[in-house]
Structures are given as structure tokens and as C-alpha cells.
Amino acid sequence: MGTFQQFLDDQKISPAVLLRRSRQLESQSSEDRVLKRKRSARRREKEGQQKPYAELGLGKPRSGRGLSEQQLTAAREDRPVSPRVRSKVVRAINALLTKNGGTPVDAKALFGEVAARVGPTTKKASS
């Protein structure tokens, strides 16, 4: 049994509850849609392209996609998952723990020595 599965068993967190909480946390709100529109408009403007998003007060919108069953299964079997999936798992776990009065945990405590999955590196051709 892997580190992550052991943690879920110790905390009595079911995979269905974890998936549902992740879906709730990652779902897009009207503010996220407005942020996406503003960021898109900033990319189209000539003057706006010089300024970073932070300077314009444009944070990152949520992705709108929670954890999938395949991603959660891979994490439970201690297979490497991408850093983005790890962060979604950590966010969902911490939301459940703080709701129940527990203390938040980090990715190292959840996944142990399992390395993050690294995809192929591609270099963009410069013109």
C-alpha cells in the first residue's frame, strides 16, 4: 500500500468525497470567466502586452477541471502524476482536513518519495 493510500485510510477520506471536493474547488465562477476575458484582451492590446498580469491586477483563473478518477487512481497506486495533478490533490485534501479541524499537509507528506511525472520537453522554434 502506498503512502497516499495509507494517508487516505488513516484520515478516513473516501475517493468519492475527494473527487467531489476537487470538482467543487476547481469549478469556474463568474469571476474566473471575467479574469479569462480580461487576460485575453490584455494579450490582444499592444500597450498591455508590455505589462505583466500582476501589475494589471489580473490573477490566474481556476482551470474548471477537478481531479479525474484516472488521476486519483494513479496517485493512490503511487504512480508518478504531474505537478498540476499533485497540486489539485493537495488542495482538495487540505480543504477536507481544515473543514474537519485538522491541519493542512504538503505534497511531500502525501506522496512521500514518489517523484512527479515529467513530460517530454519541447523547444519552440524561433522565427
Side-chain angles (χ1 to χ4, degrees), residues 38-56 58:
K38 286 181 179 179
R39 287 169 73 101
S40 175
R42 200 256 328 142
R43 285 191 300 272
R44 280 187 250 122
E45 294 175 358
K46 288 285 185 192
E47 300 85 35
Q49 289 178 354
Q50 306 303 321
K51 297 179 183 177
Y53 291 124
E55 188 177 309
L56 298 173
L58 300 175

Side-chain angles (χ1 to χ4, degrees), residues 36-105:
K36 284 176 85 169
R37 207 171 325 124
K38 286 181 179 179
R39 287 169 73 101
S40 175
R42 200 256 328 142
R43 285 191 300 272
R44 280 187 250 122
E45 294 175 358
K46 288 285 185 192
E47 300 85 35
Q49 289 178 354
Q50 306 303 321
K51 297 179 183 177
Y53 291 124
E55 188 177 309
L56 298 173
L58 300 175
K60 277 191 169 185
R62 289 181 275 192
S63 68
R65 297 180 179 181
L67 284 171
S68 69
E69 276 205 44
Q70 292 87 0
Q71 292 167 336
L72 185 59
T73 302
R76 288 173 54 202
E77 294 173 354
D78 278 349
R79 289 186 294 184
V81 292
S82 70
R84 184 170 287 170
V85 172
R86 281 177 172 236
S87 65
K88 287 180 183 184
V89 169
V90 170
R91 249 192 314 273
I93 291 284
N94 284 338
L96 290 171
L97 289 177
T98 54
K99 178 183 171 191
N100 295 334
T103 58
V105 296

